[in-house]
């Protein structure tokens, strides 16, 4: 009963390094999302994918790229990490149709030194 | 970017007390959601509200969709230690939208 699985759970990077965060869901959901969560703030949407083959910018896309590899997987890439990208990153997914909530993974804690 | 105003920011209560928190927005939402986040985990959906004025319960939790569609509140009755966590409201502008707007969270501590 995995749901939404994120890897890695923790990562420390140096400024300028690149990194790809992985997300996979086993619920056959159409839509997938990447959020970041900073202290004292709610989750903010970085990118989302409404269906396989499509991606769109969210609220805070700068410095990130995404790939919807297939229906199951949605990755988030930091090409040149900056200290401002230190955060907890959450992936979520939902099925189509009205009244369907988003299901979240347990997060990736990323520190940029 | 837009975030919902959620209050209070934190609460420290004794076991058995009731809790109330709310969320307000300058925009109208079609859906309000309440999530709970435990330490080291992702948010988990508690209650979803789909109609203005709707009052929905989930065990000791009760939430209401404000009649103006710009606010929502969550009540927890007879709190227990496992209620500890951060509670987030989230709003959706329309059904089946791809975007949620989250509140800033209410951190709840329950003392035995």
């Amino acid at each position: 009963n995995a749901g939404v699985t994120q890897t890695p759970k923790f990562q420390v990077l140096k400024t300028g390094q690149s990194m790809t965060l992985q997300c996979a869901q086993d619920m056959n959901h159409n839509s997938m999302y990447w959020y970041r969560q900073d202290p004292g703030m709610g989750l903010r949407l970085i990118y989302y994918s409404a269906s396989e083959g499509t991606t769109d910018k969210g609220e805070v896309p700068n410095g990130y790229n995404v790939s919807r590899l297939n229906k199951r997987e949605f990755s988030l890439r930091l090409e040149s990490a900056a200290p401002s990208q230190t955060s907890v990153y959450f992936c979520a997914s939902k099925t189509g149709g009205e009244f369907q909530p988003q299901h979240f993974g347990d997060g990736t804690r990323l520190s940029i030194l | 970017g837009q975030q919902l105003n959620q209050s209070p920011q934190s609460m420290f209560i004794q076991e058995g007390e009731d809790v109330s928190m709310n969320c307000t927005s300058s925009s109208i939402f079609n859906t309000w959601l309440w999530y709970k986040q435990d330490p080291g985990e992702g948010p988990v959906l508690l209650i979803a509200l789909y109609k203005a004025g709707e009052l929905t319960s989930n065990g000791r939790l009760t939430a209401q969709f404000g009649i103006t569609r710009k606010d929502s509140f969550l009540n927890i009755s007879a709190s227990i230690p496992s209620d500890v966590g951060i509670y987030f409201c989230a709003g959706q502008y329309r059904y089946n939208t791809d975007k949620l707007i989250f509140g800033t969270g209410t951190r709840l501590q329950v003392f035995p």
Side-chain angles (χ1 to χ4, degrees), chain B residues 30-43:
Chain B
N30 283 323
T31 303
W32 282 96
L33 306 168
W34 284 93
Y35 285 85
K36 183 192 177 200
Q37 185 177 25
D38 291 325
E41 298 183 13

Side-chain angles (χ1 to χ4, degrees), chain A residues 86-99:
Chain A
T86 293
S87 189
V88 182
Y89 291 85
F90 287 99
C91 177
S93 70
K94 74 181 277 288
T95 189
E98 291 185 271
F99 312 133

Side-chain angles (χ1 to χ4, degrees), chain B residues 59-73:
Chain B
R60 294 178 296 105
L61 277 62
T62 301
Q64 183 156 31
F65 192 142
I67 200 73
T68 64
R69 294 165 62 192
K70 292 183 177 181
D71 62 345
S72 178
F73 72 75

